[in-house]
Amino acid sequence: MNMDILKKILLMPRQMIKAIYNPENIENKWYSQWQEKGCFAKKIDHRKDSFCILMPPPNVTGVLHMGHLLNNTLQDVLIRRARQLGKSTLWIPGTDHAGIATQVKVEKELMKEGKIRQNIGRESFIQRALHWRDKHGGLILEQLKKLGISCNWDAKVHTLDPGYNLAVQTAFIELYNRGYIYRGKRMVNWCPVSLTALSDEEVMMKPQQCMLYHLKYELTDGSGFIEVATTRPETIMGDTAIAVNPNDDRYRSLIGKTCLRPLKKAEIRIIADEAVDQDFGSGALKVTPAHSAIDFEIGQRHRLEFLDIMNPDGTLNSLAGNDFEGMDRFEARVMAVEKLRKLGLLIKEELYSNNVGFSERANVPIEPKLSEQWFLKYPKVEEAKAAILNGVIKLRPERWTKTYLHWLDNIKDWCISRQLWWGHRIPVWYRKGYDKNDPTNIHLSIDGPEDKENWEQDPDVLDTWFSSALWPFATFGWPDLKKMEEKNFDYFYPTSDLVTGPDIIFFWVTRMIIASLELLGANKNHLLPNEIQERIPFKNVYFTGIIRDKLGRKMSKSLGNSPEPLDLIKKYGADGLRFGLLSMAPQGQDVLFSEERVEFGRNFCNKLWNAFRFRQTIGEEQDKTIEGIFSRINPKEVSLIDLAILTQMLKTLIEFEEAMAEYEFNKALQIIYSFFWKDFCDWYLEVSKINQTSSVIGIYDLILRQCLLILHPFIPFITEELWHMAGYGTGFINDEKLDTSANLLANIKALGLEPAEDSILEVAMIRELISSTRAMKANYGLAAKKDMTFYYKAADGQTSIIAKYNEIIKHFIGAAKVIETNSLLDLPVILTPAGLMYLDLASQIDLASEKQKVIDEIQKITQLIAKNQSKLNDKVFISKAPQQIIDGTKKLLEENLKKQVELQSLLDSLNSLKT
RNA sequence: GGGCGGCUAGCUCAGUUGGUUAGAGCGCCUGGUUUACACCCAGUAGGUCGCAGGUUCGAGUCCUGUGCCGCCCACCA
């Protein structure tokens, strides 16, 4: 670039930074600029490493909640940091069509018009659902933009996109052909409200108070009755046997006899089965094979009749008999009990608490139901375990490994068909009028058979999670090779980090791993380690904590305990919110949300803002490029205090880099927070005001610049704004190359400066002296006085720091004079590592309380000395502890002894003072 | 029933392989019109690290047992 132009740019009058940091203005401004200028766009440089994140797609029905905020902030931190480290990045956003959830929403809309979906038919229902999706579905992503997330919006995917649908259909057919998908009549979890089967994962167990009824089943030979206990008397009409344990002496004689089913009377057998628990109830179980999972198994073993007495909606059907037909299952329960009571068959009823499975969506008890469904037998289970065990996929925190493995060890076939209309239609056709179970009458293909008129398509759709499992590669256009190439699948896959909640390990994470292992690459029964490595969907999984309210409850809309995220952004700014969230969310630990933390984040942003305002008051017309900054630092002008802050910056950067490498974001933030606020602002900015050389200003610029850069992934808006305001560059901050601690160290060394730990120690001594002296003043109620005289006596063996830093110390402690002395004085004093500081105000102090303080202090130090000495006298300690610890203890003892002597002499002098 | 996590200052939480006298923010209290910031500055106070044993020269940290809180999985009708 032409030097004149460069100068012009650099010397351009810059905008004044406004006094008050107002996040709202700058956040809206920058987000639209980032998008317009294509900041987040995929820029592929094959010489660079790739870095890819798949956003867990929020449901189109979803409402933005705190979990989304934390989750997406973490992803944004990762992706922005990756850009700074020079990687080619891709962050794929998207939404999930959310089968049941969406269908329920649309059905509710219909209900307002007094209709149900069957009234309008499948086609127009889907049209309505699509319309609903288009209207509401993008909202959550739009809301997330307020948070500043930098995804590749042009790569956005929706799970019902045509391309995605192709992936789902292909996966189904492929898995069917490989023998993993089958159709079968089995016991499933049936939701009587949503009228669909559900997977085990969609059933939530809830403790319930109910009644346990003890009933008489009369023996048909007239020899008495058998007592049966049940919580579900409404299913009696479906009983086809009574089962007892074969080892149960009470009932041995009854096995093989028959008894009378008391409702819809019929003769049923008494059978023996090991599954019966002798200790529960009466030890005799009524067997209802069509309405209970265990009874179903017993029924199969004993070839019992399966009497399905219920309609899909939970009402009883004609098989339940005239008295019950059409009645809801819970009404039927009441009526059944009533009838039994009248018949004199109810022995007793008792309160009983048990766990009942509830439909996750409709929140009603699920009904175990015998039903014809599609099932998936999970492939590549061993490989999925190996991927984690061998560290090919790393889970953070690692402890989730156990949960993950436990699920895979106890995995059961997955019911993947849903009796819904909204979702991916199952690509299976049946020949009209023929037996569906005969394979020759079944056709599987994406487009269907040519003579469609002779076939009918399976009416069911697939579980939403089936499509979610394909997310890692369906988002890249799989199985369309051309699209995959366009989307640089080979470059970005396997993706880098997945950030999600541990509550969907089974729903999603595991299934993605399995789907990827099975479907990417050739069909093989077993994979070799390198094949696993190529196929895995991601290398790291970061499990976030769950955000809870102050009482530890999960945040949910129904509890009304979740703050409105957008309100928080409005109040504290997206940056403040991000900072707060990250600082309260260590690796995968659940967090109790507190608004104070968000305030904390906002305050930090304000501090940052004002540090830049301060810099601006000094005058800005200077070269702020990194080269320019270094050229302004003159090594001859650099004081020890300056060197100390440089050294500390490097130390901070190293610690920060380590924390980031370990995904310890809250630690990383804490490290910068403390350096920036405590060391840089509170100390260095203040101390350097006294002699603000041009080198000092150079150091300001260097540190401010570096802090902006490393903070940018966490708080992108304010750092972008300040980057431009302060004139560090004309481009976007996220495109800036990040100087590492190693780079900066090299640059500093090139100036002829040698960062040294000693400088930090010396500065620490000064700060300690100042701080102690201020405390002493405050103790006497003299904090505000500026005209005091102090006497300073250097610590034994310590060179005086007062001579060197007189001005600074006077300024900071508020003194008119600090006079150096060699003797102990009869004055109030404070001990510091740098020496004694006396306050010349003997007449004004409360001698008695002052003495007491010193006495307390002596007592404390004496205890410490005793502790040190007993340690050092302990031969075992001496022989076993490492030398470093022993030396440390010795040194400590010496220091404490010295302190003790000094305190004693102080006490003596206080005693000798006249009151 | 099986498993996991938490229990550290009034509150919310740090505390890496055991190592010298346990930290931060908020809040409390005291003082401050220090011209970058009251969303700030300075300074106090506040903890037998859930409890009980054990290992060790040395335990918030490791082991055993136990209590409370929360979560996950399984489940007896």
Side-chain angles (χ1 to χ4, degrees):
Chain A
M1 191 189 274
N2 182 312
M3 275 312 284
D4 289 340
I5 296 173
L6 184 67
K7 257 190 194 157
K8 230 176 173 177
I9 291 169
L10 292 169
L11 298 180
M12 233 168 10
R14 296 184 183 108
Q15 277 174 276
M16 285 300 289
I17 301 176
K18 293 203 180 77
I20 295 157
Y21 155 61
N22 180 346
E24 211 175 339
N25 294 346
I26 62 173
E27 291 177 1
N28 291 332
K29 175 178 84 184
W30 283 115
Y31 203 84
S32 48
Q33 287 225 26
W34 288 336
Q35 276 201 279
E36 275 168 33
K37 302 275 163 62
C39 276
F40 316 145
K42 187 164 64 178
K43 289 166 203 148
I44 292 179
D45 181 343
H46 284 274
R47 290 163 303 181
K48 291 180 176 176
D49 287 340
S50 70
F51 188 89
C52 178
I53 294 181
L54 304 161
M55 177 189 289
N59 285 351
V60 287
T61 55
V63 178
L64 187 68
H65 59 68
M66 299 308 295
H68 291 123
L69 295 190
L70 174 62
N71 194 289
N72 283 283
T73 299
L74 285 163
Q75 293 174 67
D76 198 43
V77 169
L78 288 168
I79 205 104
R80 285 182 188 268
R81 172 102 180 142
R83 285 190 206 110
Q84 290 184 320
L85 296 175
K87 295 178 183 170
S88 297
T89 62
L90 171 66
W91 183 8
I92 303 179
T95 50
D96 191 294
H97 67 281
I100 298 185
T102 307
Q103 176 152 335
V104 167
K105 293 263 180 195
V106 178
E107 282 178 329
K108 272 191 186 156
E109 252 189 24
L110 272 178
M111 213 144 50
K112 282 182 201 154
E113 301 167 22
K115 294 180 194 157
I116 56 169
R117 66 180 150 112
Q118 284 79 5
N119 294 148
I120 64 170
R122 187 165 190 145
E123 277 311 308
S124 54
F125 181 83
I126 287 172
Q127 285 309 313
R128 284 192 77 127
L130 284 167
H131 185 251
W132 190 93
R133 178 197 71 185
D134 294 340
K135 201 170 155 197
H136 301 100
L139 188 65
I140 197 161
L141 292 180
E142 287 307 311
Q143 289 177 320
L144 278 172
K145 286 181 180 171
K146 292 258 179 236
L147 195 63
I149 58 169
S150 59
C151 3
N152 299 76
W153 293 111
D154 49 353
K156 193 167 82 180
V157 178
H158 174 63
T159 52
L160 272 185
D161 288 343
Y164 205 105
N165 186 47
L166 176 72
V168 173
Q169 312 267 323
T170 308
F172 184 96
I173 294 167
E174 209 40 51
L175 290 167
Y176 178 89
N177 289 337
R178 295 180 189 186
Y180 294 114
I181 285 179
Y182 63 92
R183 190 172 163 82
K185 194 166 190 182
R186 301 243 242 115
M187 201 48 99
V188 297
N189 308 300
W190 183 263
C191 175
V193 169
S194 310
L195 301 179
T196 178
L198 299 173
S199 69
D200 294 343
E201 285 73 23
E202 289 164 293
V203 175
M204 292 188 308
M205 300 306 281
K206 285 194 191 180
Q208 294 289 304
Q209 274 293 344
C210 61
M211 300 302 275
L212 183 63
Y213 302 96
H214 292 254
L215 309 172
K216 286 181 185 173
Y217 279 51
E218 288 168 322
L219 298 171
T220 44
D221 63 5
S223 64
F225 64 88
I226 180 163
E227 183 181 333
V228 169
T230 181
T231 55
R232 301 205 60 195
E234 72 276 20
T235 63
I236 287 176
M237 296 76 80
D239 290 353
T240 51
I242 295 294
V244 296
N245 193 292
N247 303 315
D248 194 333
D249 293 336
R250 292 173 297 180
Y251 300 118
R252 195 160 293 167
S253 62
L254 299 181
I255 297 167
K257 289 191 176 182
T258 58
C259 63
L260 195 61
R261 183 172 69 203
L263 297 175
K264 196 169 177 251
K265 289 191 167 51
E267 195 174 339
I268 54 175
R269 273 193 300 151
I270 296 172
I271 57 172
D273 196 285
E274 299 269 357
V276 179
D277 179 358
Q278 298 184 46
D279 298 326
F280 186 88
S282 62
L285 166 72
K286 71 181 209 53
V287 185
T288 321
H291 295 285
S292 149
I294 287 192
D295 294 11
F296 173 72
E297 284 168 25
I298 295 177
Q300 279 189 318
R301 280 197 285 274
H302 298 269
R303 298 176 187 280
L304 298 175
E305 190 188 350
F306 293 79
L307 270 180
D308 188 344
I309 59 164
M310 248 182 246
N311 293 314
D313 65 356
T315 58
L316 301 200
N317 63 24
S318 59
L319 288 177
N322 290 336
D323 295 345
F324 290 97
E325 187 178 357
M327 196 176 272
D328 180 75
R329 51 187 172 152
F330 297 111
E331 288 171 39
R333 179 176 301 173
V334 176
M335 178 148 127
V337 173
E338 219 32 62
K339 280 182 180 287
L340 291 162
R341 200 192 310 273
K342 278 185 189 149
L343 290 167
L345 298 175
L346 180 61
I347 299 167
K348 63 172 173 180
E349 48 191 318
E350 53 186 344
L351 262 178
Y352 178 68
S353 47
N354 66 343
N355 282 324
V356 176
F358 274 67
S359 155
E360 198 195 24
R361 288 285 161 199
N363 199 27
V364 293
I366 59 111
E367 199 56 53
K369 186 178 164 68
L370 202 52
S371 164
E372 185 103 33
Q373 300 286 346
W374 288 97
F375 294 89
L376 173 74
K377 177 177 153 34
Y378 289 96
K380 301 292 176 289
V381 171
E382 287 313 310
E383 283 85 348
K385 286 199 262 182
I388 300 289
L389 286 170
N390 302 338
V392 180
I393 299 173
K394 196 163 160 46
L395 303 185
R396 294 166 197 275
E398 216 166 8
R399 64 184 146 85
W400 290 111
T401 303
K402 218 167 176 173
T403 308
Y404 173 92
L405 292 175
H406 181 259
W407 189 73
L408 284 175
D409 282 335
N410 296 283
I411 203 162
K412 280 192 247 161
D413 293 357
W414 173 17
C415 175
I416 52 172
S417 44
R418 295 289 177 275
Q419 288 64 54
L420 303 172
W421 287 352
W422 177 245
H424 296 280
R425 189 90 179 251
I426 290 175
V428 174
W429 279 258
Y430 308 102
R431 201 187 296 276
K432 279 183 189 163
Y434 288 83
D435 178 12
K436 287 179 184 178
N437 295 318
D438 180 350
T440 59
N441 296 325
I442 293 181
H443 170 95
L444 270 89
S445 72
I446 286 159
D447 300 322
E450 278 180 21
D451 54 335
K452 277 216 175 74
E453 62 282 4
N454 298 322
W455 298 78
E456 54 190 351
Q457 189 172 4
D458 192 302
D460 292 351
V461 299
L462 288 162
D463 182 0
T464 305
W465 292 104
F466 184 88
S467 64
S468 309
L470 315 178
W471 188 248
F473 43 91
T475 46
F476 281 98
W478 182 89
D480 184 333
L481 294 177
K482 216 176 130 195
K483 271 196 188 156
M484 287 167 83
E485 203 188 325
E486 276 169 25
K487 294 179 183 234
N488 304 95
F489 177 78
D490 287 340
Y491 180 61
F492 285 111
Y493 197 94
T495 69
S496 314
D497 296 348
L498 177 78
V499 180
T500 190
D503 47 337
I504 50 175
I505 290 184
F506 312 137
F507 278 107
W508 196 42
V509 178
T510 327
R511 287 167 177 168
M512 280 195 284
I513 293 172
I514 285 175
S516 301
L517 290 174
E518 177 60 32
L519 292 169
L520 292 183
N523 178 15
K524 294 181 89 176
N525 281 334
H526 299 290
L527 299 181
L528 300 168
N530 66 310
E531 289 166 329
I532 293 176
Q533 207 155 349
E534 285 162 12
R535 293 183 185 198
I536 52 158
F538 28 71
K539 289 169 246 172
N540 292 293
V541 184
Y542 182 102
F543 289 114
T544 64
I546 293 166
I547 300 190
R548 301 175 180 284
D549 70 3
K550 277 186 178 154
L551 303 171
R553 298 174 306 180
K554 219 169 170 169
M555 286 193 160
S556 74
K557 223 186 164 188
S558 55
L559 280 172
N561 59 351
S562 175
E564 180 54 54
L566 295 180
D567 290 348
L568 285 172
I569 290 178
K570 210 167 164 62
K571 196 163 164 199
Y572 298 103
D575 285 332
L577 178 59
R578 290 168 63 119
F579 195 100
L581 277 173
L582 290 169
S583 76
M584 74 177 113
Q587 266 209 45
Q589 211 59 261
D590 283 5
V591 282
L592 302 189
F593 179 79
S594 62
E595 197 165 323
E596 288 78 19
R597 285 286 190 136
V598 183
E599 204 176 329
F600 165 77
R602 191 268 320 260
N603 292 355
F604 180 78
C605 292
N606 183 61
K607 190 71 183 174
L608 189 68
W609 183 265
N610 275 290
F612 277 84
R613 274 191 74 213
F614 167 70
R615 171 65 187 88
Q616 203 169 47
T617 62
I618 301 165
E620 286 272 45
E621 277 68 50
Q622 276 162 339
D623 184 348
K624 294 262 190 90
T625 60
I626 189 81
E627 297 81 12
I629 289 169
F630 272 110
S631 74
R632 281 188 277 127
I633 300 173
N634 175 2
K636 285 180 194 140
E637 211 176 51
V638 170
S639 71
L640 189 117
I641 287 176
D642 301 331
L643 187 64
I645 197 73
L646 287 173
T647 309
Q648 215 158 358
M649 175 191 74
L650 292 171
K651 258 181 92 168
T652 302
L653 285 177
I654 291 167
E655 284 173 29
F656 172 79
E657 285 159 5
E658 283 168 0
M660 289 305 285
E662 289 301 315
Y663 294 71
E664 293 173 320
F665 305 115
N666 69 319
K667 190 176 171 187
L669 274 185
Q670 199 197 318
I671 289 163
I672 315 177
Y673 176 90
S674 148
F675 168 73
F676 183 75
W677 199 311
K678 298 289 143 194
D679 296 324
F680 182 66
C681 290
D682 286 353
W683 166 252
Y684 185 72
L685 282 187
E686 294 304 326
V687 74
S688 59
K689 279 176 185 170
I690 293 166
N691 184 21
Q692 212 169 52
T693 63
S694 58
S695 295
V696 162
I697 297 169
I699 291 170
Y700 291 168
D701 289 341
L702 176 64
I703 291 175
L704 288 169
R705 180 182 188 277
Q706 191 64 20
C707 284
L708 272 194
L709 283 166
I710 59 176
L711 282 166
H712 176 255
F714 301 94
I715 44 176
F717 293 109
I718 187 174
T719 47
E720 185 78 80
E721 173 77 4
L722 291 171
W723 181 258
H724 294 271
M725 283 285 190
Y728 282 112
T730 49
F732 290 101
I733 184 170
N734 207 202
D735 294 331
E736 195 69 20
K737 179 177 151 282
L738 182 66
D739 287 296
T740 60
S741 56
N743 293 150
L744 291 178
L745 175 64
N747 273 308
I748 290 167
K749 279 191 165 174
L751 287 176
L753 292 170
E754 192 61 45
E757 192 77 15
D758 287 355
S759 62
I760 297 179
L761 292 176
E762 188 162 325
V763 166
M765 255 183 358
I766 304 167
R767 288 173 72 175
E768 181 70 20
L769 179 79
I770 290 169
S771 177
S772 304
T773 309
R774 279 169 165 173
M776 176 166 63
K777 275 181 83 181
N779 267 340
Y780 296 127
L782 304 168
K785 282 197 75 115
K786 301 269 165 66
D787 55 352
M788 331 254 350
T789 299
F790 288 86
Y791 295 92
Y792 165 78
K793 180 180 178 299
D796 292 348
Q798 202 62 257
T799 48
S800 166
I801 58 166
I802 202 80
K804 210 164 154 191
Y805 300 108
N806 197 321
E807 280 309 306
I808 289 168
I809 291 168
K810 259 165 49 182
H811 179 260
F812 274 82
I813 65 179
K817 271 188 230 165
V818 179
I819 298 163
E820 188 135 22
T821 174
N822 281 323
S823 41
L824 298 170
L825 305 177
D826 292 340
L827 289 173
V829 71
I830 205 84
L831 274 164
T832 81
L836 297 166
M837 192 64 113
Y838 294 95
L839 173 60
D840 183 14
L841 210 80
S843 57
Q844 287 191 18
I845 62 170
D846 175 353
L847 202 57
S849 86
E850 212 36 46
K851 275 187 203 165
Q852 195 51 50
K853 272 184 207 160
V854 179
I855 290 167
D856 291 348
E857 196 69 17
I858 289 176
Q859 203 185 349
K860 233 191 219 166
I861 209 103
T862 309
Q863 276 171 8
L864 286 176
I865 287 168
K867 203 170 156 189
N868 293 336
Q869 271 171 340
S870 78
K871 254 191 192 173
L872 289 169
N873 289 339
D874 185 348
K875 280 180 191 150
V876 196
F877 173 74
I878 296 294
S879 64
K880 291 207 174 171
Q883 197 56 40
Q884 186 196 342
I885 297 294
I886 297 172
D887 290 347
T889 311
K890 276 184 188 162
K891 204 176 147 199
L892 205 62
L893 174 64
E894 275 170 39
E895 278 168 18
N896 286 336
L897 282 170
K898 207 166 23 170
K899 264 191 208 169
Q900 192 188 33
V901 171
E902 281 166 353
L903 283 166
Q904 190 58 50
S905 79
L906 172 65
L907 185 62
D908 292 346
S909 43
L910 286 175
N911 280 330
S912 71
L913 271 182
K914 284 178 190 138
T915 42

